[in-house]
Amino acid sequence: VYHERQESALCGQHCLNNLLQGTYFSPGDLADIAAEMDRLERQMMLEMGDATPEALKFLAEDSGNVDESGNFSIQVLKRALERSHELVLDHVGATSLEGQDLLSHDAFICNKSNHWFTVRKLYGLYWNLNSMLERPEKVSDFYLSAFLMQLQADGYDVFIVSPGANLPDPPHGGPEAGMGAASCFHTVSSLSRSGSTAGSSTAAAGEQKDPWAMAGEGQRLAPAQDADYDENLELAISLSLAQPSHGRAPVSMRPEPGAGEASTRIQARIPSAGDGGPPKRVTRRFHPDEPAAVLFIWIEEQLDQSRRRPFRLSFSTQIFDKADLLATGESLTALGLVPSAAVTAQFS
């Protein structure tokens, strides 16, 4: 099993290489993609007018796709996987995750703030390949759903990597195959002997947190060798009971982030009403974890009553529909609309 450990803030690179099981990407490779994305975003912004205050501010800002520490945006990771192996990242909302047949998928990418890591099935077993871990940790089939649901409860976004058939096999020759340093390779037998299972490390999700804190203790009738199964069962049951049975809560727009709070700046271009006038441009800051559907609420507030008709939003090469975003609950971060983005309203 190939597993890169954390270096600097390169968890995006580690996440992709751990997913693909080898040194497929260097920081320079991802930086080139980030520069390309920056050029595309700059071109789109200038097409909306190069003398507006928003455009001047955008051009004066640093890259929105990579920072000086090496943190890469979701757009960069998506583009890298699409080009190298024709892989797609599909965001899974909390409601969707609960109803998914997760065992039918071979890999997941998890993200919170600037941290990314992979969970992938290798040799018939799921492994937590978080670069913050000392070594990969096994995630049992039974525990997989509870593990991912716990991550979501802790604020992580979960993406399904598909199609699984496009994922490369791990290099059976280990370091001799030329796919990474010897220190990055672990045999399944050595990991099994070390007892590396998800929940046994305090850094399982990149944070100092005990994932068994809610598992409870007490007398068990099962023999000692079934302790891991028992603990997984307790956690799965407790997580199941904690899931709300009702539908998704209505979406509402929160006040703009205050000074010092994490934020993303969105500029919206709203075409004229057909009278030949210039398009309207509005800008607002949002909390990165807000549902992306709030953009529709925001733009609807800018429209005259006579112009309130269905519309979609375009961003780069993507088209967003209000009904879809309301159904999935995807956040601005999950759709790559951070730390800034320019969207255009497209009326029916």
Side-chain angles (χ1 to χ4, degrees), residues 42 54-64 265 339-340:
R42 186 178 298 109
E54 292 80 8
L56 295 175
K57 183 178 180 181
F58 178 85
L59 295 174
E61 292 177 343
D62 294 331
S63 170
R265 181 175 57 82
S340 62

Side-chain angles (χ1 to χ4, degrees), residues 113-188:
S113 186
N114 290 326
H115 187 60
W116 303 84
F117 72 92
T118 289
V119 176
R120 184 180 165 183
K121 193 171 191 176
L122 300 164
Y123 310 110
L125 302 170
Y126 285 100
W127 297 93
N128 176 5
L129 302 174
N130 193 334
S131 57
M132 298 294 289
L133 295 171
E134 183 178 350
R135 61 180 63 84
E137 292 186 345
K138 183 170 62 177
V139 182
S140 69
D141 287 1
F142 178 78
Y143 181 44
L144 178 65
S145 177
F147 179 68
L148 295 176
M149 288 165 63
Q150 180 65 66
L151 287 173
Q152 280 195 330
D154 290 340
Y156 276 79
D157 285 298
V158 177
F159 299 83
I160 293 174
V161 183
S162 61
N166 288 3
L167 288 167
D169 293 329
H172 294 284
E176 291 78 16
M179 290 302 292
S183 60
C184 294
F185 290 89
H186 305 265
T187 65
V188 173

Side-chain angles (χ1 to χ4, degrees), residues 17 25 61 125 207 210 281 333:
N17 286 341
F25 294 105
E61 292 177 343
L125 302 170
E207 301 174 350
D210 177 13
R281 295 183 178 87
T333 296

Side-chain angles (χ1 to χ4, degrees), residues 263-326:
S263 66
T264 181
R265 181 175 57 82
I266 306 295
Q267 181 184 86
R269 179 180 181 271
I270 306 173
S272 65
D275 55 5
K280 180 178 181 180
R281 295 183 178 87
V282 291
T283 303
R284 189 185 191 278
R285 293 186 305 120
F286 294 86
H287 298 270
D289 61 349
E290 284 190 78
V294 299
L295 297 182
F296 285 86
I297 298 175
W298 170 49
I299 292 175
E300 286 166 355
E301 291 181 350
Q302 316 301 319
L303 301 176
D304 297 333
Q305 193 67 33
S306 60
R307 294 196 62 202
R308 294 198 174 181
R309 62 184 190 275
F311 64 91
R312 299 186 299 175
L313 291 178
S314 64
F315 167 66
S316 185
T317 60
Q318 304 178 70
I319 300 294
F320 302 133
D321 181 82
K322 182 178 180 180
D324 291 341
L325 293 183
L326 286 172

